Amino acid sequence: MGIADDLAGRRFFVTGGTGFLGTALIERILRTIPDSQVVALVRPGRRHDVPARVEREILRNDCFARLRAELGERFDEQVADRLTGVAGDVSSDGLGLDEAGRAELAACDVVIHSAATVSFDAPLDHAVEVNLLGPSRVAAAVAVSAAAGGRPAHLIAVSTAYVAGAHQGETAERLLSEDRFSLAIDWSAEVASARRLRDDLEDASRHPEHLREFAQRAHAEQGASGTHLLAARAERLREDWVRHQLVEAGSARAKALGWPDAYAFTKALGERALVARHGPQGDAPVPFTIVRPSIIESALAEPRPGWIRGFRMAEPIILSFARGLLREFPGVPEGITDVIPVDLVVAAIIAVAARGPEDGPAVYHVASGVRNPLAYGQLVRLIKDWFDRRPLYDDRGQPISLPEWSFPGRGRVQRQLQQAVKLMDVAERALRLVPFRRKQAEWAAKLEDRQTLAERALGYAELYGAYAETEARYRIDRLLGLFENLDPEDRQQFCFDPAVIDWAHYVSEVHLPSVVERGRVRTSPGRPGSTDRQTRLRSAVLSPDRHLAVFDLEHTLIASNVVDSYAWLASRHMESDRRVGFVADLLASAPRWLSLDRRDRGDFLRFFYRRYEGAPVEEIARDAWDLFHEFLLPRAYPAGIARVRHHRRLGHRTLLITGALDVVVEPLRPLFDDVVCASLSERDGFFTGHLAELSPIGEARALMLERYTLEHRLSLAESVAYADSSSDLAMLDAVGFPVAVNPDARLAALARRRGWLVEQWSRAAGGTDRLLPLGGLEPRSLATGAGGVRP
């Protein structure tokens, strides 16, 4: 009898089914084991329940394309009969199973625990809960089921070959307790320490000095975006700080004890906890086998060559190299990169399940380094040769040439990247202080992107450098013995012998094409993909399905601001000999106004509009029409005005929200269904300099939009908002379709990160480019006496 016959009709309980290995396991079991059934433990999501997650994250994955093709119209019916999702979480005692879930587990013959926090930089406490305690929690649930009269299920715990730590030479397939080089760490003390550290860091993050730092950083990133948005960002920064400290603590603890990272460290302790609690000498013995893969990568053949889910360890490094970001990466050219295709790991696990539990815990390595080694230098050459023939292209459509790697040490690479990150951080901070717009703001945003990429490269060097420099070899004697005992048909259908891998073919014809396809990188000199994305976003914005289009005014529809309008109106009737002093006063005040505007837009407007005190209302109203025709209209963005009209033709309601004065925006009212703006109070025909009504600023705009849409029975989710500044972030966040127009540096960076539509609109040719526009000199009418805007 073969594997399929041995396992036919069996029930499998699988954890980690929504992950890379788990998805491949479920698909292979359903496709190759007749009448088998799978129960998948799935954590309910915030937006999707367990059935929805099973459908979206498992069955809709392209891993199931082959099975769908084989079953055709029977796919949905057969899968519904054979695959069941149960709610649970390996980070909870009892796996968080309800009564129905416990019953499903009790009816299973094989339990495959593949759930893990596979990130090498996971927070220590999270890695402890999932990787260290997870296997024991699964075993405890199996033991409880057996004690209650259920079947004595065989537990297969998926670990990692790197539990051996910074081991040099060959490592045998044996328990860590049998390895004289493995440290006997008190795993329970590590659990208590990690939990205590989380509590201590949560307390420390709330100390006043840290809270002030988070608030300052939030304001530096988002400017005067509003109290609640800044508070939310500061809280996110606090949470990120706690997470970062836990990541650093995990890395430091792991390296101090000889492991490359917290992942391998907690996996090793997870094995020890499993043996201590549920081995033959434990309180609740369970028959289990440990399977230790090395670095799992894309499929060699099953379900199709190159299938991969998400990005594993090597893919980010490969694409960073191909993009020219990584000029060097640490590694020993003679060292072995122990990679194993995912389908070989899946086949080995299924074969172990068919073999059944042995007398006492058994360990199987699924690794290539001894049987079929791939040298790091060979891997780099294969990658470079492939991208030399098929280069990626930069933003200008030019092919990216790749350097020859010199295989430096980790320290040198990390120092170079750290220096680059620091230099870009200084430059990015300096650019934030300058009120850049349009192309200059794009440069600032691109600099931030480059900084992010450099930081990512530094992270790769710090996280993965140890794996490129490892000299460990993982023996697979037990695995090969299992393989040799298979009949020829099983060796073909469930092959897990690493000797079958032709590395040149696998890297060049299987893995790299899949990496490039999923990386969504630019592979031709044509138009960049981002342009296509902007076109799609613009089509969505201009869909007839939208309800409302909201526009800011200054630097969104017109290249002007309240200071420009004031300068023009104040100088309209000013004698020539007073203009020099007037301009000097405005220029001297500009830094103070800019600083105030950055802190609080509302405070700036209230302060600045004091300058209108004593100005005659009727005269300003008349002059405002001349201001519009002589100054504002020539500085309008024709594409912006056309966009307003386009929305109106589509039947969308249009709304202008601006901090400009009502007398200034009066000529624009026919363009919009409604206008919300500022107005000054009056006394005896003169402005008092005090605001009668201040247009909503920052978060108040979002609240005002919410009321407006309710009043007019519109949907915010189907609304569009156009703005130019990070101070409008609340309004942009409130709608379903935000558009950044000629954005300042902060908003440009935010828009790029969030994938928003960005429009770069230019004003019509002509018009003044003067720093301060002055109104044409006209004699003052006798009716206005000595009034006028205060200089």
Side-chain angles (χ1 to χ4, degrees), residues 755-767:
W756 291 351
L757 175 62
V758 176
E759 299 282 19
Q760 297 291 349
W761 292 338
S762 300
R763 62 186 178 89

Side-chain angles (χ1 to χ4, degrees), residues 9-29:
R10 300 283 187 91
R11 286 173 61 87
F12 294 80
F13 189 93
V14 178
T15 71
T18 58
F20 177 40
L21 178 60
T23 300
L25 263 168
I26 293 173
E27 188 275 342
R28 192 79 167 270
I29 291 170

